[in-house]
Amino acid sequence: MAGYRDLLRTPGVARMIAAQLVARFPNGMISLAILLHVEQQTGSYGAAGIVLAAASVGQAVAGPVTSRWMGAWGMRRVLGLTLAVCVLAVLALALLPLELAGYMAFALLAGLSTPPVQSAVRTIYPKLVNAGQLTPLFSLDASMQEIIWILAPVVITVVSTQAGTTQGLLLVAVILVVGGGWFILSPEVGRVRIPRSRRAFGRVVLKPPVMLATVIGFLLIGACSAVEVGVVATFGHGGLEAGLVLAVFSVGSLAGGLAFGHIPIGRWAMARRLLIVTIGLSLTMVTLNIYWIGGTLLLAGIGIAPALAVLFAITTASVKFSETAEAFGWAGTGQLIGAAAGSAVAGILIDAGGPAGAYLAAVLFAFTGLVVSIVFVRGFPDLRHRDPSPHPDTEPVQAIIA
């Protein structure tokens, strides 16, 4: 913990972590807020699911695009524009009398205009700390984001059920403005300029470490999403049990990230972390007792944040600085698609054989990620004795020979 205290004393680090957490807090609220609001307005969970899918498609498509725009137009311009459009789209969802098509259109717009805060902050981090602090910083970031997934669903559920779903969406809009404004106005966002990428759009994802980060992020988040569906199916959404069990899952991730964040990242780092996740998820299938599920998910969670930290580090270390934002955009898109796929597969298996099917889906996703990390281990950069910062952008200089 002394190392983390020193890290947080580095100028700008604590402010960036706090600002991006508040700016991204609505990410943990908006899906549930839209689901609850559309279901109340239409009386159909099917309609709410379609609207939510539109928002997810928008987010997945926009991630790499808006992230790349930051290199062409500047971070503050892109973040400010997307923030303004996203807030207006959320307000429209909350206040306008819409039919299903209208809800889908504004949900898609909200997804497309989601501010690329995650790509921006992970592009800024290498400029705030020295090379030796970057891996612990990524681990701390991955751990702290669990706060979003612990608190945000609880906050939006309480507000939407007690005050109303319209008020829930309005709260999302307010936090978007406050958090997004704080992040955009932070001095570090103004000081760091991303050079314009000279490579064609999408080429960066073909680099083996970026492709591995995207694929394994898809599988890891798919496993987490399947767990969430399984926990709700096991304990229901009317009581506290499901929320408490998912909170324990996130606490495990938070603890794992803080405990293992200082460990250097070698080629086998991802496989070791995913092995912990896979073992923990496999044990959930023994019994659906709440204490057993809680304990096994606590174990599985210990590997989640450390695995995400590896994804962030190998992405940064394998690309030029001008490509970092787009690379993280692709990785984020992989995770969004993984969340949708995990939920869908878990739902199908639950319908076929009960809640245990969701945990089976989670195991399959995690085990596939483990296999990929072993088979393609040579695609991971060895960062134990290497600067994990992005490569500098260089241009040929014409030499004058006397």
Side-chain angles (χ1 to χ4, degrees):
M1 295 307 296
Y4 289 121
R5 283 196 298 270
D6 292 339
L7 185 61
L8 291 172
R9 291 193 187 106
T10 303
V13 169
R15 178 169 52 238
M16 274 287 90
I17 290 178
Q20 64 96 13
L21 282 176
V22 179
R24 291 172 55 208
F25 200 79
N27 293 356
M29 306 171 71
I30 192 166
S31 295
L32 193 52
I34 290 174
L35 183 72
L36 294 170
H37 184 70
V38 175
E39 189 280 328
Q40 184 181 82
Q41 298 301 314
T42 64
S44 169
Y45 275 106
I50 293 173
V51 174
L52 194 54
S56 299
V57 168
Q59 288 179 317
V61 170
V65 177
T66 55
S67 297
R68 186 180 174 92
W69 283 353
M70 290 191 292
W73 300 339
M75 277 195 280
R76 277 184 169 160
R77 286 182 181 178
V78 174
L79 289 166
L81 175 62
T82 53
L83 176 64
V85 175
C86 189
V87 169
L88 291 174
V90 172
L91 290 175
L93 287 169
L95 301 175
L96 296 182
L98 301 170
E99 299 295 331
L100 178 59
Y103 281 120
M104 290 179 63
F106 282 111
L108 177 64
L109 182 60
L112 288 170
S113 59
T114 300
V117 173
Q118 181 170 273
S119 298
V121 75
R122 287 169 188 160
T123 300
I124 292 171
Y125 281 156
K127 299 297 183 181
L128 296 182
V129 299
N130 60 46
Q133 293 176 306
L134 190 53
T135 296
L137 178 54
F138 279 135
S139 185
L140 180 62
D141 177 86
S143 301
M144 290 296 99
Q145 74 177 11
E146 294 299 336
I147 295 173
I148 297 173
W149 309 115
I150 293 172
L151 296 180
V154 176
V155 171
I156 197 62
T157 299
V158 170
V159 173
S160 295
T161 56
Q162 302 301 315
T165 57
T166 297
Q167 286 77 6
L169 283 169
L170 292 176
L171 177 61
V172 171
V174 169
I175 298 178
L176 273 170
V177 171
V178 173
W182 182 15
F183 182 78
I184 292 169
L185 295 175
S186 297
E188 294 75 17
V189 176
R191 283 199 295 264
V192 176
R193 188 184 70 85
I194 305 173
R196 185 189 295 266
S197 177
R198 298 181 179 276
R199 295 167 64 91
F201 176 72
R203 288 288 298 277
V204 69
V205 80
L206 299 179
K207 292 189 174 185
V210 180
M211 179 63 74
L212 282 169
T214 303
V215 171
I216 292 178
F218 164 86
L219 294 166
L220 179 62
I221 301 304
C224 294
S225 183
V227 165
E228 292 173 3
V229 174
V231 169
V232 171
T234 303
F235 303 107
H237 50 72
L240 293 175
E241 292 89 349
L244 291 174
V245 170
L246 291 175
V248 167
F249 190 34
S250 294
V251 167
S253 178
L254 175 62
L258 294 177
F260 303 131
H262 64 286
I263 298 177
I265 294 174
R267 295 187 188 276
W268 289 96
M270 179 60 73
R272 287 194 291 267
R273 287 156 171 79
L274 288 181
L275 179 62
I276 296 172
V277 177
T278 303
I279 291 173
L281 293 180
S282 298
L283 291 173
T284 60
M285 301 183 65
V286 174
T287 175
L288 298 183
N289 174 275
I290 184 171
Y291 298 106
W292 179 264
I293 293 292
T296 54
L297 289 183
L298 180 67
L299 172 61
I302 289 173
I304 299 293
L308 289 173
V310 174
L311 296 184
F312 304 155
I314 66 171
T315 299
T316 300
S318 61
V319 300
K320 292 182 178 179
F321 182 63
S322 62
E323 299 171 325
T324 51
E326 184 187 344
F328 280 119
W330 283 109
T333 292
Q335 293 170 25
L336 284 167
I337 297 173
S343 297
V345 173
I348 292 170
L349 293 181
I350 288 171
D351 289 342
Y359 301 106
L360 174 61
V363 173
L364 293 176
F365 272 93
F367 179 73
T368 304
L370 175 61
V371 171
V372 170
S373 66
I374 293 172
V375 172
F376 297 100
V377 67
R378 293 190 177 275
F380 291 89
D382 189 343
L383 304 179
R384 289 173 296 179
H385 308 289
R386 177 184 151 191
D387 185 348
S389 301
H391 308 311
D393 286 88
T394 56
E395 297 179 357
V397 178
Q398 184 176 1
I400 300 176
I401 302 175

